[in-house]
Amino acid sequence: MAANTNKNGLVELIRFLCAVWVAYFHGFFPVLSDKFNGAVVPVEVFFMISGYYFLKSIEKYKERPLGEGIVFIFWGRTKRFIVPLIIAALCVLYCNIAFPWEFNGFNWPFSFLWFFAAQFVFLSLFFLLIRKSKGRTAFNIACALIICISLSMHKVLTKEFDRVARGPAALAIGMLLSQIPKIALKGKKWTLLINAIGFAASAIAFVYLAYLPGYEIWKLHLLIGLVGPAVLYFATALPVYSKFLNFLGESSVFIYLAQCPILLHHYYVSRDTRDQFPLLCICAVAMFVLNRIINKKKLTEKIEAAVQKRDAINKTEIG
């Protein structure tokens, strides 16, 4: 079977690394926790990637009824992972009931799922903005204003809630980035070389900034506003197609969601990350397999329904 050419392997790899990074900072990896202190950045990268692909995918709903676009945003982003999401939500709900506000008043268990809820809200708002904007220029100006306001709010909010402000900025940056023409020199080899150098340089800068200790707003803004977009821009310009990298990208959601069942072990059994790391792997694989089985069943049901509909039409024509 050929690799899925609709996906860029580097972007899928970035998704996977971000999921691992999030899991690492939630304390489930048996490594030192004093490295990569830009812990909040991978979530913003997820938002940025969503914004990059969102603008093109939602434009076909611009002239359709409002409900169709909202359904696309909500149902289209959850149906592929509906059972793992339900499992994760139930685990988070139980942990909030059994261990409410344990970490200095910050609802740590619920923080696992805020990313999905925020995406629904933020993308819906941008969809409304697309519908109301008269032309792409007006929409881009609105996005630029959102970025400025969002990052400015980030400076005045507390650390526990500033990520809510950064989400719209990351989405807007991704949408603006998707409209920038790709570098196209004379000769494919030169174009490929320039983009490869750009990706390597921006990726090194990203890792270096993220590795710097401390929680400084200037560093986060630089990563979100310049270096992160550069990584994504050059990555999407490189023709990297791989079944394996696509698989890693698909598994990123399950790595993130698998942390929710691990909360039960974290609270009841042990907070030793050496115990939780293999459990995280097992949960992620189990969720992935379960999701594949469910999707395969749904596909079979659709095929059977299509065959039955065709047979019914044939019988009607014969009759």
Side-chain angles (χ1 to χ4, degrees):
M1 183 183 295
N4 184 358
T5 56
N6 292 326
K7 293 184 178 181
N8 181 286
L10 284 178
V11 175
E12 297 307 305
L13 178 61
I14 292 171
R15 291 183 199 266
F16 173 77
L17 293 176
C18 285
V20 172
W21 190 351
V22 171
Y24 165 90
F25 267 98
H26 283 164
F28 295 139
F29 274 32
V31 289
L32 296 176
S33 60
D34 59 344
K35 305 300 181 184
F36 285 94
N37 283 301
V40 295
V41 176
V43 176
E44 272 59 58
V45 173
F46 271 115
F47 277 119
M48 204 175 295
I49 293 173
S50 296
Y52 187 90
Y53 292 111
F54 174 78
L55 187 60
K56 184 177 180 180
S57 64
I58 202 66
E59 278 189 328
K60 58 186 177 182
Y61 292 95
K62 182 177 179 180
E63 303 300 331
R64 297 185 185 180
L66 180 62
E68 289 188 22
I70 300 299
V71 168
F72 169 79
I73 294 170
F74 279 77
W75 180 238
R77 302 183 77 83
T78 58
K79 63 182 178 180
R80 291 183 301 161
F81 313 107
I82 187 66
V83 172
L85 273 172
I86 291 175
I87 294 173
L90 290 175
C91 291
V92 167
L93 178 63
Y94 175 79
C95 287
N96 274 285
I97 294 173
F99 312 98
W101 306 93
E102 180 175 327
F103 291 93
N104 299 321
F106 179 60
N107 193 327
W108 184 59
F110 185 73
S111 68
F112 284 106
L113 292 181
W114 87 269
F115 163 73
F116 294 96
Q119 272 206 339
F120 296 146
V121 175
F122 294 156
L123 288 177
S124 297
L125 292 176
F126 275 99
F127 174 56
L128 293 176
L129 184 61
I130 292 171
R131 287 175 59 89
K132 296 297 182 180
S133 298
K134 296 181 179 179
R136 186 63 64 82
T137 300
F139 175 75
N140 291 340
I141 292 174
C143 284
L145 291 175
I146 289 173
I147 293 170
C148 294
I149 295 172
S150 178
L151 295 182
S152 297
M153 288 179 60
H154 175 205
K155 288 188 175 183
V156 300
L157 294 175
T158 60
K159 184 177 178 180
E160 287 79 7
F161 300 100
D162 61 0
R163 66 181 58 187
V164 178
R166 291 193 308 270
L171 279 170
I173 289 170
M175 292 177 191
L176 293 179
L177 193 64
S178 67
Q179 301 174 64
I180 300 177
K182 297 297 181 184
I183 296 173
L185 303 175
K186 290 184 178 179
K188 292 184 178 180
K189 290 184 178 180
W190 284 109
T191 300
L192 182 63
L193 178 63
I194 292 297
N195 284 298
I197 293 174
F199 175 76
S202 55
I204 291 171
F206 188 95
V207 173
Y208 173 74
L209 285 170
Y211 190 85
L212 290 176
Y215 182 89
E216 290 96 1
I217 289 181
W218 70 266
K219 179 178 66 175
L220 297 177
H221 285 187
L222 186 60
L223 284 168
I224 295 168
L226 182 61
V227 183
V231 173
L232 182 59
Y233 174 83
F234 289 112
T236 52
L238 295 172
V240 179
Y241 307 115
S242 165
K243 287 173 62 178
F244 176 69
L245 293 180
N246 291 347
F247 170 79
L248 290 182
E250 185 181 354
S251 66
S252 63
V253 175
F254 301 97
I255 293 174
Y256 189 87
L257 292 177
Q259 296 172 83
C260 298
I262 300 300
L263 285 170
L264 302 176
H265 179 277
H266 182 78
Y267 283 116
Y268 277 113
V269 182
S270 171
R271 301 196 179 187
D272 189 341
T273 58
R274 292 171 296 181
D275 295 336
Q276 294 167 16
F277 174 67
L279 287 175
L280 173 64
C281 297
I282 293 171
C283 283
V285 172
M287 282 185 167
F288 181 84
V289 172
L290 177 63
N291 196 68
R292 277 291 180 92
I293 293 173
I294 292 171
N295 284 341
K296 185 177 180 180
K297 183 179 180 182
K298 286 182 178 179
L299 180 62
T300 303
E301 291 174 350
K302 288 181 180 178
I303 293 174
E304 291 176 351
V307 171
Q308 292 175 359
K309 183 178 180 180
R310 183 194 63 190
D311 292 341
I313 294 173
N314 291 336
K315 289 181 179 178
T316 302
E317 291 176 349
I318 294 172

